[in-house]
Amino acid sequence: MKAGINAVTAALVVGIGIGLVLTPDGRAWLRRPTLMLGAAANASAGPGPGEPAAPPVVAPVLPTLTPLQEKAARGSLRIGVFGNSMGDGLWTALYRDLRAQPGVTVTKFSEVSTGLSRYDYVDIQAKTARQIAEQPVDVAVILFGTNDAQGISMDGEIHDFGTEGWKVAYARRVDDLVAMLRGRDIAVYWVGLPKMKRAGFDAKMALINGVVSARMVALGVPYIETESLTENADGEYDAYLPETGTGRRRLMRANDGIHMSMAGYLRIAEPVAARLKRDAGLDAPVVPTAPAAGV
């Protein structure tokens, strides 16, 4: 079983490598690499001494959405998964979980080595707008962050990672992405980052989770945390965790201590799929039709 999981994980990593070589954005990344697979960021981990407090982020007013249950009742529900390489794995797991649902499609829009910090590399706001114009969706499931522990250039100023200015800039990008999607009547579900193996990198991802989760509360957008799903009973990183249902310990993480094995992606996708099914009314029990009188 472990060999099979490792083979799937290896296939995902090979696929990422092929994607870098064969796609224009991937080749651009190879010429000018950004943070990937937990490499050290070129930014500080905290605010500089004496840095002034950043102004509070004001949440945009989002339009009212058409309920997912109403959309699903029309016979189709189009789900798009956006993010980086972690999003690739989440898409695979969600597709496996939801493919049997009538009328439900799960499409991959994620791309390796992307994120919300380096819009000079890939502008996710513009890219996402193009993607949904070409292939409309009803739901956007988003998982970014593992490439984002680096500085953000905004309004002519570079904000080092972890500073108050960085938090405000990152929050603005999160808000802008959500507002753009909601403005097109697309429901947003943001998935948090899992527990990481290396303490330093885990602290950076926890900081990102803190910014994003606060913005989702302010925006009234569902945030599905995954840290508790990817740590052991002591709250620590553990590559092997109990499998839902059987309780068997399964390999949940890739060797880099960042990405998941297929079993791990299925684990973090479970609450996402459950929330989507609930909100779309797909988990409602089927009521048997009473037989006609005299039959």
Side-chain angles (χ1 to χ4, degrees):
M1 180 63 71
K2 293 181 181 178
I5 293 172
N6 285 330
V8 172
T9 302
L12 285 172
V13 173
V14 170
I16 290 170
I18 293 172
L20 287 173
V21 174
L22 297 182
T23 64
D25 286 338
R27 290 191 294 272
W29 183 89
L30 289 170
R31 289 192 297 270
R32 181 163 53 89
T34 58
L35 182 68
M36 184 183 179
L37 301 181
N42 295 321
S44 63
E51 182 184 4
V57 180
V58 179
V61 178
L62 301 179
T64 303
L65 286 169
T66 303
L68 284 193
Q69 195 161 352
E70 182 179 325
K71 290 186 175 182
R74 299 170 186 168
S76 69
L77 188 66
R78 303 163 298 181
I79 300 170
V81 181
F82 300 81
N84 55 10
S85 53
M86 294 285 285
D88 287 356
L90 179 62
W91 165 77
T92 303
L94 280 177
Y95 175 80
R96 288 179 57 170
D97 198 315
L98 298 172
R99 62 185 172 184
Q101 294 288 338
V104 175
T105 59
V106 185
T107 304
K108 187 180 83 70
F109 294 97
S110 52
E111 181 185 352
V112 299
S113 307
T114 59
L116 303 183
S117 290
R118 292 289 301 275
Y119 277 16
D120 59 318
Y121 168 55
V122 176
D123 185 332
I124 292 298
Q125 181 83 7
K127 179 182 179 66
T128 304
R130 290 194 303 270
Q131 288 175 314
I132 60 177
E134 295 168 358
Q135 191 167 358
V137 296
D138 302 303
V139 179
V141 177
I142 302 175
L143 175 53
F144 280 112
T146 51
N147 300 316
D148 288 346
Q150 50 189 316
I152 295 177
S153 176
M154 182 173 282
D155 299 330
E157 184 177 355
I158 297 177
H159 303 281
D160 289 340
F161 175 71
T163 62
E164 292 304 307
W166 184 93
K167 294 174 185 176
V168 170
Y170 197 79
R172 278 180 54 185
R173 290 196 171 165
V174 168
D175 285 8
D176 288 348
L177 183 58
V178 171
M180 184 268 290
L181 291 164
R182 287 284 297 266
R184 290 159 173 78
D185 199 29
I186 297 171
V188 176
Y189 293 77
W190 204 292
V191 182
L193 294 160
K195 188 79 173 176
M196 300 295 173
K197 184 176 183 179
R198 290 191 292 110
F201 190 65
D202 185 59
K204 293 175 181 179
M205 298 302 100
L207 185 151
I208 292 172
N209 276 343
V211 173
V212 172
S213 60
R215 297 319 302 154
M216 296 305 106
V217 170
L219 297 168
V221 169
Y223 175 80
I224 296 96
E225 68 88 19
T226 64
E227 287 177 277
S228 63
L229 295 174
T230 51
E231 60 188 19
N232 61 23
D234 297 323
E236 299 175 347
Y237 174 93
D238 195 335
Y240 287 86
L241 294 169
E243 182 181 49
T244 302
T246 68
R248 291 185 307 164
R249 284 175 59 80
R250 296 281 302 276
L251 178 62
M252 299 288 175
R253 305 305 288 260
N255 291 334
D256 61 13
I258 299 172
H259 293 83
M260 317 295 294
S261 67
M262 195 63 250
Y265 282 120
L266 289 169
R267 184 179 180 86
I268 67 173
E270 285 176 5
V272 183
R275 179 64 185 266
L276 289 170
K277 290 175 186 177
R278 189 188 78 190
D279 290 353
L282 301 175
D283 59 352
V286 177
V287 179
T289 305
V295 176

